[in-house]
Amino acid sequence: MTAEEGWYVPTYVIKGDPERGIEPACPGLPDWKALNDCAHIFASPETGGKGKYLTGPAGWIDYYGDAQRIENLGLNYEVVAAGSEAALVAEIKRAYDRGEPLLSLMWSPHFVTQKYDLTRIEFPPYTKECWGTTFACGWQDPSLLKLAGSEFPEKHPTAADFVSKFSLSDDDLGALMVEMEESQDAADVVVKKWIDENPDVWSQWLPSVPSES
């Protein structure tokens, strides 16, 4: 699986959506240099004439360097904290359903980036020198790793074999996440259904069983 995070807009903000009668509001995106030209379409009563960039809890603002990024790239925007991940997701869903412009934090894997057509803003490339200082750059794409204690393979070879083979594609994981969100079923219910429908996938993960002599 792959992962990414950053600032996102609904793709209809850039390209429009003729089926929904939505005209492109900021065709210069995803280039970050177009953000100021379009600040007015993201403005809200709480940000005055500035564009609104929505994040999650207030503590995330410093973690992601949003205030520094805005200042050091000269962006006419203000950070607004939704208060929680759930509140952030709710605002994204509400804006998307209404076809409204929205600029917000998001990441993948997440059911939101799987369910909705979102586009990530293209900031100057990530560098170690930038991140943690000016933040005038994009994110480094996260790595998703499988980790275990150094003695795990020796003590539990069958389990280690299974874990090493286990692999879900972005589409498979995304579909599971969307189904959980839409159905409100527990994870074990959704996974059981997936297992029943995809034996050709998970059978490849099973450890080899020595044949009887």
Side-chain angles (χ1 to χ4, degrees):
M1 297 175 288
T2 56
E4 67 174 37
E5 55 189 350
W7 292 19
Y8 287 78
V9 297
T11 302
Y12 59 70
V13 170
I14 305 170
K15 299 181 179 180
D17 186 345
E19 292 186 3
R20 300 176 66 188
I22 301 173
E23 296 290 332
C26 189
L29 294 178
D31 187 340
W32 70 271
K33 295 176 183 177
L35 284 171
N36 277 351
D37 293 335
C38 304
H40 63 285
I41 73 167
F42 297 113
S44 70
E46 57 196 320
T47 61
K50 293 184 177 182
K52 172 182 173 180
Y53 166 68
L54 184 68
T55 188
W60 292 6
I61 297 174
D62 290 339
Y63 180 79
Y64 289 112
D66 290 322
Q68 296 97 314
R69 182 175 298 106
I70 288 172
E71 179 180 358
N72 292 314
L73 288 177
L75 299 177
N76 188 29
Y77 282 76
E78 184 173 324
V79 187
V80 175
S84 67
E85 179 184 341
L88 170 65
V89 168
E91 288 214 34
I92 294 173
K93 292 169 65 176
R94 182 164 49 250
Y96 202 98
D97 290 343
R98 296 175 177 177
E100 298 172 347
L102 180 72
L103 176 65
S104 70
L105 172 72
M106 191 32 65
W107 59 90
S108 65
H110 196 289
F111 84 84
V112 166
T113 45
Q114 179 72 21
K115 183 175 181 178
Y116 301 111
D117 186 2
L118 305 179
T119 298
R120 184 168 64 162
I121 301 301
E122 297 174 355
F123 284 110
Y126 165 89
T127 64
K128 292 181 179 179
E129 294 74 23
C130 164
W131 197 266
T133 55
T134 66
F135 287 97
C137 58
W139 279 243
Q140 180 183 32
D141 288 339
S143 297
L144 301 180
L145 306 174
K146 290 181 281 190
L147 302 175
S150 58
E151 297 180 351
F152 181 71
E154 181 179 350
K155 290 186 175 182
H156 308 283
T158 303
D161 188 17
F162 174 83
V163 171
S164 68
K165 293 176 179 177
F166 173 84
S167 179
L168 279 176
S169 69
D170 292 340
D171 287 341
D172 283 338
L173 177 63
L176 287 168
M177 298 173 80
V178 170
E179 184 170 351
M180 281 187 63
E181 190 272 335
E182 293 183 341
S183 68
Q184 295 298 301
D185 286 334
D188 58 344
V189 174
V190 174
V191 170
K192 174 62 166 58
K193 179 182 177 183
W194 185 90
I195 288 174
D196 291 342
E197 295 175 350
N198 294 274
D200 56 324
V201 178
W202 58 257
S203 62
Q204 303 300 312
W205 308 337
L206 297 181
S208 302
V209 179
S211 59
E212 297 183 2
S213 57

